[in-house]
Amino acid sequence: HAKTAGRRGERFFTNEMEAQLEARHTLEADLRKAVANHEFELNYQPLFDIGAQRICGFEALLRWNHPTRGRVSPVEFIPLAEELGLIVDIGRWVLLQACTDAAGWPEDVKVAVNVSAIQFTHGNLPEDVSTALTTSGLAPARLEIEITESVLMENREEALPILHALKQRGLRVAMDDFGTGYSSLSYLSSFPFDKIKIDKSFVTDIVENREAFAIIRAIILLGDALGMRVTVEGVETGEQLALLEQEACDEIQGYHISPPRPLADVPKLLSGSWETHGAKAG
Ligand code: C2E
Ligand code: MG
Ligand code: MG
Ligand code: MG
């Protein structure tokens, strides 16, 4: 009796797996065509300079508008694109598009572009960056490359010369999602980062929880002491911003200022209507 039930269970599981596998194959096939079909779009989220009290740049965030499934989250398709090796081409498109868009913004506004581990090693990132800068005419100092700790972890040997090559071209390098990896502290001093972006998980409870605030304060101090610009990601409320304003935090990013928006909204955001997205409106 139990055996029958077990078999049935197994069979059900297999069907489920087959369905999942098929869905994945379809997604793979669609992803391969997405660049050529112009299904990708960049959204831009403001980086808000606390000292200057203004938007000093935007992070480019990739969006996939799937013809039938609608918007697919980057959290879902970027790992797949990495696995399939498609991320190198997609990343090249992102770089060129972001630089081209930013070249149309005021000169004191920067653009930040995310780069994945595979782009870092299997592509030719310094060359792709140079091409994007030359083609778009964007000043190198206005481009910031964001990489996560896992990039360094997986490619410790290769990472340093690539980082130096990028910096030699005059652009800035930021460590993204700081604090979520394994060896954050040693990486901070051995790689030439201009900026750390403290992961949004560290800001969530800072208003309600003294310990959480103590931790983010310590990370901000560390970044500051190492001479880096410090950005806190995921700031959603005015109360959180008020706490961070008393610390050596240089920039914030988060829904309090604005969620990521289409390129067309950038002028509106720059002209000051960012205030309406945050707590000041309420
Ligand atoms: P990330 O680089 O850390 O980007 C920040 C993510 O946090 C974005 O998610 C953004 O929409 C979200 N976010 C911003 N403010 C808030 C907030 O106040 N609260 C909360 N809960 N979330 C907030 P998104 O756009 O879904 O992107 C997810 C991740 O996908 C990015 O994390 C990045 O690692 C990756 N990604 C996005 N675009 C690209 C790209 O062009 N290339 C590569 N390689 N990765 C990308
Ligand atoms: Mg990022
Ligand atoms: Mg991040
Ligand atoms: Mg500082």
Side-chain angles (χ1 to χ4, degrees):
H1 205 89
K3 210 174 169 187
T4 316
R7 283 231 184 90
R8 206 176 285 144
E10 264 165 40
R11 199 187 149 80
F12 177 74
F13 188 59
T14 302
N15 285 342
E16 182 111 310
M17 276 172 63
E18 269 167 20
Q20 269 176 20
L21 209 65
E22 203 180 298
R24 204 190 117 102
H25 285 319
T26 312
L27 199 65
E28 270 182 36
D30 292 348
L31 193 56
R32 287 186 197 280
K33 296 178 292 189
V35 172
N37 290 352
H38 307 286
E39 289 164 13
F40 287 121
E41 180 194 346
L42 293 180
N43 275 9
Y44 290 98
Q45 186 175 34
L47 296 158
F48 183 75
D49 184 309
I50 291 182
Q53 287 287 303
R54 66 171 193 93
I55 291 170
C56 57
F58 291 87
E59 178 175 2
L61 292 159
L62 187 57
R63 300 292 179 253
W64 181 15
N65 302 309
H66 189 280
T68 54
R69 294 180 44 165
R71 198 161 255 192
V72 184
S73 165
V75 180
E76 192 177 342
F77 74 79
I78 284 175
L80 185 61
E82 286 175 337
E83 221 176 288
L84 298 172
L86 297 171
I87 194 69
V88 175
D89 280 342
I90 295 173
R92 210 174 274 137
W93 178 87
V94 170
L95 263 171
L96 180 58
Q97 192 61 48
C99 290
T100 305
D101 291 347
W105 303 341
E107 278 178 17
D108 54 358
V109 179
K110 296 191 178 75
V111 68
V113 174
N114 294 285
V115 162
S116 85
I118 284 145
Q119 247 179 303
F120 209 75
T121 46
H122 297 279
N124 191 346
L125 189 61
E127 202 181 293
D128 289 347
V129 164
S130 292
T131 305
L133 290 171
T134 311
T135 310
S136 65
L138 186 76
R142 292 177 61 195
L143 175 62
E144 199 162 81
I145 297 292
E146 295 191 4
I147 61 173
T148 58
E149 284 168 76
S150 60
V151 172
L152 306 178
M153 235 143 55
E154 289 157 29
N155 317 282
R156 223 181 191 306
E157 300 294 291
E158 298 145 281
L160 201 57
I162 297 173
L163 283 179
H164 281 301
L166 292 174
K167 292 196 56 148
Q168 244 160 32
R169 282 165 170 76
L171 47 101
R172 282 155 220 264
V173 185
M175 181 184 265
D176 202 359
D177 303 343
F178 181 75
T180 55
Y182 293 102
S183 307
S184 322
L185 298 181
S186 65
Y187 288 139
L188 268 194
S189 54
S190 47
F191 293 100
F193 288 103
D194 301 289
K195 178 193 267 192
I196 54 168
K197 299 186 76 175
I198 301 173
D199 189 71
K200 52 181 171 288
S201 58
F202 290 96
V203 82
T204 314
D205 290 331
I206 60 169
V207 175
E208 301 81 9
N209 184 320
R210 279 179 151 276
E211 285 77 17
F213 186 47
I215 289 171
I216 205 168
R217 283 185 75 183
I219 304 175
I220 292 170
L221 277 174
L222 176 68
D224 194 51
L226 290 172
M228 293 182 284
R229 254 179 102 72
V230 178
T231 303
V232 174
E233 297 186 275
V235 176
E236 296 184 352
T237 71
E239 289 95 326
Q240 290 170 343
L241 173 56
L243 282 180
L244 296 169
E245 273 174 338
Q246 292 160 39
E247 305 303 321
C249 171
D250 300 298
E251 284 173 17
I252 60 152
Q253 183 178 353
Y255 298 160
H256 175 63
I257 302 298
S258 168
R261 295 275 182 212
L263 172 68
D265 288 356
V266 164
K268 232 186 322 185
L269 288 161
L270 284 174
S271 72
S273 41
W274 60 270
E275 291 182 24
T276 59
H277 297 288
K280 285 179 187 175

